[in-house]
């Protein structure tokens, strides 16, 4: 793969990672409970990204564009889960010093948020093939690209977690923590509603 294509791929992947979405909102909410919960959320999200990336590399996620039932079923499931997380955050009464949620629950939240997002699968189908050089075998290039995409996305979210960890004292203040819970809850609710209303 030519160096210019590699640079273009890294730049594009980084810009995509910068785009805020459900994952950012979930990480923000979990960061209120500490770095361990935030990291578990990130790793869950990246397992979800890896599943879609590998599925796209193997040509499996094309089923989402071929089957309206599969796409819309997954879309509704993802929207319901986002709304669930949003409502949970809005009614949360977490206080400083309260026990954080288990890492397994945070991991599961991150995983489901990305696995239940059909747009991520459709995006993977359209994004990765753009960087396959003409005349080269698809899967032989797509799988390394999928790994690279996941790594770049992971690095970005780890940076976010590190930044949030540096201001953990401020995040844990009695007035700030509930406000962040409510803010992330509103964002998750809005994303869930948008996923329902936006058919594609």
């Amino acid at each position: 793969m030519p160096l210019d294509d590699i640079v273009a791929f890294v730049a594009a992947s980084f810009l995509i990672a910068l785009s805020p979405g459900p994952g950012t909102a979930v990480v923000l909410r979990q960061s209120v409970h500490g770095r361990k919960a935030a990291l578990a959320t990130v790793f869950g999200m990246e397992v979800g990204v890896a599943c879609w990336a590998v599925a796209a590399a193997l040509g499996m996620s094309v089923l989402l564009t071929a089957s309206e039932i599969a796409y819309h079923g997954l879309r509704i499931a993802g929207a319901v889960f986002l709304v669930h997380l949003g409502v949970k955050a809005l009614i949360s009464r977490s206080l400083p010093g309260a026990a954080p949620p288990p890492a397994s629950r945070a991991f599961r939240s991150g995983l489901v948020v990305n696995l239940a997002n059909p747009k991520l699968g459709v995006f993977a189908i359209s994004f990765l093939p753009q960087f396959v050089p003409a005349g080269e075998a698809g899967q032989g290039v797509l799988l390394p690209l999928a790994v690279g995409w996941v790594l770049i996305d992971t690095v970005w979210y780890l940076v976010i977690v590190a930044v949030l960890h540096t201001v953990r004292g401020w995040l844990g203040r009695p007035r700030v923590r509930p406000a962040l819970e409510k803010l992330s809850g509103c964002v998750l609710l809005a994303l869930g509603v948008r996923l329902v209303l936006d058919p594609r």
Side-chain angles (χ1 to χ4, degrees), residues 137-154:
Q139 290 184 9
V141 179
L142 283 172
L143 284 175
L145 287 175
V147 172
W149 182 30
V150 173
L151 289 176
I152 292 169
D153 199 58
T154 301

Side-chain angles (χ1 to χ4, degrees), residues 18-37:
L18 288 176
S19 303
T24 306
V26 174
V27 171
L28 177 61
R29 182 184 178 226
Q30 293 294 352
S31 66
V32 173
H33 302 292
R35 183 167 59 176
K36 184 177 180 180

Side-chain angles (χ1 to χ4, degrees), residues 26-27 30-31 33-45 81 85 88 100-113:
V26 174
V27 171
Q30 293 294 352
S31 66
H33 302 292
R35 183 167 59 176
K36 184 177 180 180
L39 287 174
T41 303
V42 169
F43 291 133
M45 287 166 46
F81 187 68
L85 291 179
K88 191 174 179 180
S104 59
R105 186 190 305 168
F107 176 90
R108 187 165 58 249
S109 294
L111 176 65
V112 174
V113 160

